[in-house]
Amino acid sequence: MNFLITGAAGFLGSALANHLSKQGHQVRGLDDLSTGDKDALSPDVHFTRGDVNDRPKLWTLLQDVDVVYHLAARVSVPESVLYPREYNAVNVGGTVSLMEAMRDVGVRRVIMASSGAVYGDVPHALKKGEEAAQKITEAIQPNPRSPYAVSKLAAEHYIRTIGALWGIETVSLRIFNAYGPGQGIPVSHPPVVPHFITQTLKNGTLVVHNDGKQTRDYVYVDDVISALTAATTAPGLDGLVINVGSGRETSVRELVNAVTEIIPGKAEVIYNPRVSGGVSRMCADLTLAKKKLSYKPSISLEEGLKMTLEKDARFNLRLGVTS
Ligand code: NAD
């Protein structure tokens, strides 16, 4: 098949592009390299540097494409608080530009990387002691708490609405906290998993916001890729949003323990009660993903952390691994 992946040089985009091209598909990648790294892509991926708002470029890249994966976005929650206009322009405006161009060219299917962040805090779904009720289903009313989350929710609505108007099949996968080799570690707002790994390897300090009891659903990149690729051809997805996570709830305290057990050292853990831990609990209900995508996450947090260490050259160097 012929694919276009926006945001192809990013963490998830490059893993997806390399996976699809390894399977023999024709893969075009678009990325403005604002955070992505072109060198993460295999030479078989046809890469174009450009902005997802550049419709003439999209018209060219979309010729003969069967399915589009839309991953290009600004992805930091704290950064979005500072620059909401930019998040709106790229995450919402870029999505609308892509949908217009798909309509113009006649491409029939798009799979968008949305986010579990759209749910925000949903305390009514997370009563303590009720395990089944703790998981977040797609039926829960989103309550976005950051410009990033709003932009993802708006993008979901745009692709579904424009898709329905023009006969384009759309599906949004609400990915929870993905991690794995190659994830970006920007200095100002690093994602928690690679940040804790880096700090532990340096015998540095792990700063835990608030009491560290806030939970997240950490999902390994290979499981995310299996959900994205299953969405390529699965029937009956049109207009849906589908959760993609591990289905397991892990507190930040537990994450610290998991990382420091795998990387023994002298890292110091500090709790900062003055900083909000953000949304208090996050855990994806995966019933719909199982039904529609036959999705079954297979990698535990411990396994995923070990694979991240083994496969990411930045960490290997610090561990002294030479091959
Ligand atoms: P990433 O930052 O590594 O990838 C995003 C890519 O988009 C980058 O390579 C960046 O250069 C590119 N980009 C940004 N603005 C662009 C523009 N205007 N034009 C073209 N390219 C542009 O992030 P990621 O973690 O790989 O996330 C990929 C997608 O998955 C995003 O849409 C993100 O919202 C979504 N998502 C990620 C996670 C996660 O935990 N990683 C969770 C939920 C959703």
Side-chain angles (χ1 to χ4, degrees), residues 8 14 17-22 27 37-47:
S14 59
N18 294 341
H19 174 86
L20 290 172
S21 76
K22 206 171 167 188
V27 182
D37 176 8
K38 182 177 167 308
D39 292 339
L41 290 168
S42 101
D44 296 331
V45 175
H46 304 280
F47 179 74

Side-chain angles (χ1 to χ4, degrees), residues 7-13 30-37 50-53 70-75 90 113-116 148 152 175-179 183-184:
F11 163 49
L12 295 177
L30 172 70
D31 199 298
D32 71 351
L33 300 182
S34 51
T35 62
D37 176 8
D51 190 327
V52 72
N53 271 303
H70 180 40
L71 278 72
R74 305 301 304 256
V75 301
V90 176
S114 184
S115 172
Y148 169 72
K152 286 305 212 181
I175 302 164
F176 282 61
N177 283 63
Y179 70 97
Q183 186 166 22

Side-chain angles (χ1 to χ4, degrees), residues 135-271:
K135 300 199 173 179
I136 299 173
T137 73
E138 295 84 349
I140 284 169
Q141 178 75 32
N143 180 22
R145 301 289 297 271
S146 67
Y148 169 72
V150 172
S151 74
K152 286 305 212 181
L153 186 60
E156 283 182 7
H157 284 291
Y158 267 120
I159 69 155
R160 187 169 52 224
T161 305
I162 298 174
L165 289 168
W166 293 95
I168 303 167
E169 283 186 298
T170 69
V171 61
S172 296
L173 302 190
R174 288 181 176 163
I175 302 164
F176 282 61
N177 283 63
Y179 70 97
Q183 186 166 22
I185 320 178
V187 181
S188 57
H189 41 77
V192 65
V193 171
H195 179 56
F196 279 1
I197 290 176
T198 310
Q199 290 302 103
T200 310
L201 287 169
K202 283 199 291 195
N203 286 325
T205 306
L206 277 60
V207 180
V208 176
H209 295 167
N210 209 272
D211 61 5
K213 289 184 181 161
Q214 63 275 21
T215 64
R216 295 292 179 269
D217 179 326
Y218 298 103
V219 57
Y220 188 67
V221 57
D222 289 4
D223 283 328
V224 176
I225 300 307
S226 77
L228 286 165
T229 52
T232 309
T233 49
L237 301 185
D238 191 18
L240 292 182
V241 294
I242 302 177
N243 288 342
V244 173
S246 68
R248 284 191 50 196
E249 192 179 20
T250 303
S251 70
V252 179
R253 283 171 184 255
E254 288 167 334
L255 178 65
V256 167
N257 290 340
V259 172
T260 51
E261 255 172 46
I262 290 167
I263 313 166
K266 299 192 188 92
E268 189 183 7
V269 183
I270 293 178
Y271 290 86

